[in-house]
Amino acid sequence: MANPKGATDAKGLELVRHAILAPSSHNTQPWMFRVSGAAVELHADRTRALPVNDPLDRELTISCGCALMNLVVAARHFGRFRDAEVLPELMHPDLIARVRLSPSAGPAQPGSDLFNAIRLRRTYRKRFTDRKVPGAVLKSLATAARAGGAWLEVISSAHARHEVAALIAEADRMQWADPSWRRELAQWMHPRRAGDGLVIPGLTSPLTHAVVRTFDMGGGVGAKDSELAGASPVLAVIGTERDRARDWVAAGEALQGALLTAQTHGLQASFLNQSVQVPSLRARLQSLLAHAGQPQLVIRLGYPAEEVPATPRRPLEDVIEAR
C-alpha cells in the first residue's frame, strides 16, 4: 500500500491505524495526523464539529483525547514511545498532542497490555446481561481513569441512579425539541459504506433523515434511554477538576483507558451524555456526585449479550496530512 499523502514512516502509520479506532461523538472521527519518523502529531479536525450538540468543541476534544490514548498504547506496544506533549503550542490550539517516538521498535513497554483491547472494544447500545460486575473490576476502571488525568465515579445508590436516568430522559426531550439539533443529528446518520457517522441501513436512509428532521421523538427516546440507564449493571460518570481544553483531552484519555481496561475484563460500554450536553442539566448532574469538579461523560457498562460489529472508520489516507 502506498503511504498516504506523502507520509514515509510505515510504522508510524500503523500507530495511526490503531489511534483512529477510538470512539467519537456521532462517530464524527474529528482528527487528523501528521506522521514522521520522530513523532506523530494529533490535530483536531474542526470541519467535523457538531456546532449545535457541542458548541464549545468539548466532546470533539474529548474524542481526540481518546485517539491520543490509543496512539500512546500502540506506541508502547511497539516499544517506540518516548513522551507525549498535550496542547504543546499555545498559538496552535488545533494541535492536540505530539507523541515523540524512538527511531526503531523495541520491547513492549509498560502500558502496552491494553493494545489488543483497541481492536476488540465496541460501543454496545443494546441491553447488557444481568451479570454483576465485580468490585475489583470497578476499582481497576477508576484507576485507569486516574492514570488518564480524570476521575470515574460509579453511580451506586438506587436514588442517584434514578435521578441520573431522569436527567438523561429530560435532556433527550430538550434536545429533540430543537429542530437545529435534529437536523445536525440527521446529517451524521449514514450508511455503513460512508465510513463515519451513525450507521443506518442504506435503503432506508432518506426516510430516516426525513423522520429525524421532522418529528420530535424526545419522549420515546428519553424513555428508552432512561430504561437503558436504569437497567445497566454499571452507570458511571467521568469528570475532571476543571473545564478547560486540557481537561477535555484528559477526560478523553481517561475514558479510553477505562474502556480498554473494561474490555480486558469482557465488558463493553456505551454513552448517555445528554445530561452533560445540556448546560442546565449538567449542573444538576454534578450535584448528585461525590466528586467535586465537572462531569464530562456518562457511560453505561456491562457484559454484552452478543457480538456487535465495529463502527465504520474512514480510510487511513483521509486522516493523514502531509507535513
Side-chain angles (χ1 to χ4, degrees):
M1 169 181 162
N3 287 331
K5 298 187 180 180
T8 58
D9 183 356
K11 294 177 181 177
L13 297 182
E14 188 63 21
L15 302 184
V16 174
R17 201 184 309 277
H18 287 82
I20 64 175
L21 298 179
S24 58
S25 184
H26 287 13
N27 193 28
T28 52
Q29 304 169 49
W31 40 60
M32 290 293 292
F33 297 85
R34 293 179 181 173
V35 181
S36 70
V40 176
E41 290 183 353
L42 166 60
H43 294 254
D45 182 353
R46 300 192 196 274
T47 68
R48 307 181 73 80
L50 299 168
V52 181
N53 189 67
D54 183 30
L56 300 179
D57 285 352
R58 182 184 62 84
E59 289 193 353
L60 181 151
T61 308
I62 289 174
S63 299
C64 288
C66 291
L68 173 59
M69 174 57 74
N70 276 5
L71 184 63
V72 169
V73 169
R76 290 184 182 279
H77 172 78
F78 292 108
R80 298 195 63 195
F81 180 75
R82 291 181 63 187
D83 58 52
E85 300 174 278
V86 173
L87 298 171
E89 298 181 15
L90 183 63
M91 301 303 294
H92 296 90
D94 288 351
L95 175 54
I96 300 296
R98 181 182 293 118
V99 177
R100 295 200 303 162
L101 305 172
S102 298
S104 59
Q109 298 164 310
S112 64
D113 53 314
L114 300 177
F115 178 74
N116 290 333
I118 293 175
R119 288 194 172 275
L120 297 175
R121 183 205 64 81
R122 299 288 185 270
T123 299
Y124 191 86
R125 296 183 174 89
K126 303 181 180 183
R127 284 184 64 105
F128 295 114
T129 69
D130 293 332
R131 180 180 169 190
K132 185 177 180 181
V133 179
V137 173
L138 298 179
K139 288 182 180 179
S140 72
L141 303 185
T143 299
R146 282 196 300 273
W151 46 261
L152 181 149
E153 180 174 330
V154 174
I155 309 300
S156 53
S157 77
H159 170 74
R161 286 174 64 95
H162 174 78
E163 291 296 312
V164 171
L167 286 176
I168 291 167
E170 184 176 350
D172 273 326
R173 291 191 293 270
M174 295 173 69
Q175 290 179 322
W176 277 89
D178 181 353
S180 296
W181 185 90
R182 296 200 306 269
R183 284 194 295 270
E184 184 175 81
L185 175 64
Q187 288 170 358
W188 284 96
M189 301 177 82
H190 301 155
R192 176 171 288 276
R193 65 179 178 273
D196 62 5
L198 303 168
V199 175
I200 56 174
L203 292 177
T204 65
S205 60
L207 177 61
T208 301
H209 290 161
V211 169
V212 169
R213 287 191 179 100
T214 306
F215 297 103
D216 178 356
M217 298 185 290
V221 173
K224 178 183 176 183
D225 286 342
S226 178
E227 191 275 335
L228 274 178
S232 297
V234 178
L235 191 63
V237 175
I238 290 177
T240 53
E241 181 180 349
R242 300 175 68 181
D243 204 26
R244 307 159 301 170
R246 187 172 298 274
D247 302 295
W248 302 340
V249 176
E253 293 181 273
L255 168 65
Q256 189 66 355
L259 294 180
L260 297 180
T261 301
Q263 198 288 320
T264 66
H265 294 284
L267 299 168
Q268 299 289 6
S270 65
F271 309 96
L272 292 167
N273 294 327
Q274 299 91 319
S275 60
V276 185
Q277 294 163 349
V278 178
S280 61
L281 301 185
R282 189 183 188 193
R284 287 166 56 186
L285 174 63
Q286 197 284 326
S287 71
L288 298 171
L289 303 174
H291 282 86
Q294 297 294 327
Q296 301 289 354
L297 303 137
V298 179
I299 59 174
R300 54 185 286 270
L301 301 104
Y303 295 99
E306 59 185 275
E307 293 286 330
V308 295
T311 50
R313 287 296 182 270
R314 292 190 287 158
L316 193 63
E317 56 265 27
D318 287 0
V319 299
I320 300 288
E321 187 176 86
R323 296 186 66 86

